[in-house]
Amino acid sequence: MRGLFKKGFDIQLEDSLHYPSSDRIRKAIAAFCTDDGQKYEFINGDGSVIFKLNSILYEVTVNTSRGGYFLHCKEV
């Protein structure tokens, strides 16, 4: 029951017809955080991407939607 109330957000990927690499995921997160003036730090970049955004830990999953892929960042 505890996991149901975790916060998260989505990041849309531009031109995302192919599954994104870990490098592309990190670049998209960095661009998103920089545009908003947020402080971020990558914890794990290989395999599953985990990062801190304003002292909150997030794990990234890649999901599909019509026309491509998007990143779902969920609080850990």
Side-chain angles (χ1 to χ4, degrees):
M1 191 65 144
R2 182 175 179 217
L4 294 175
F5 300 108
K6 291 186 177 181
K7 297 177 185 175
F9 58 93
D10 295 332
I11 299 174
Q12 297 297 323
L13 294 175
E14 297 291 324
D15 196 26
S16 62
L17 297 178
H18 302 287
Y19 194 86
S21 65
S22 293
D23 186 47
R24 172 128 188 226
I25 292 171
R26 286 191 304 272
K27 286 180 182 178
I29 292 168
F32 176 81
C33 295
T34 303
D35 288 346
D36 284 349
Q38 307 265 346
K39 188 173 184 174
Y40 67 95
E41 173 189 359
F42 289 107
I43 305 300
N44 183 14
D46 300 326
S48 64
V49 177
I50 298 173
F51 68 100
K52 264 187 190 177
L53 177 62
N54 295 329
S55 302
I56 300 173
L57 202 60
Y58 289 93
E59 182 175 19
V60 179
T61 56
V62 179
N63 295 324
T64 59
S65 67
R66 288 187 171 203
Y69 294 94
F70 69 94
L71 306 177
H72 179 70
C73 305
K74 185 175 182 180
E75 190 176 322
V76 180

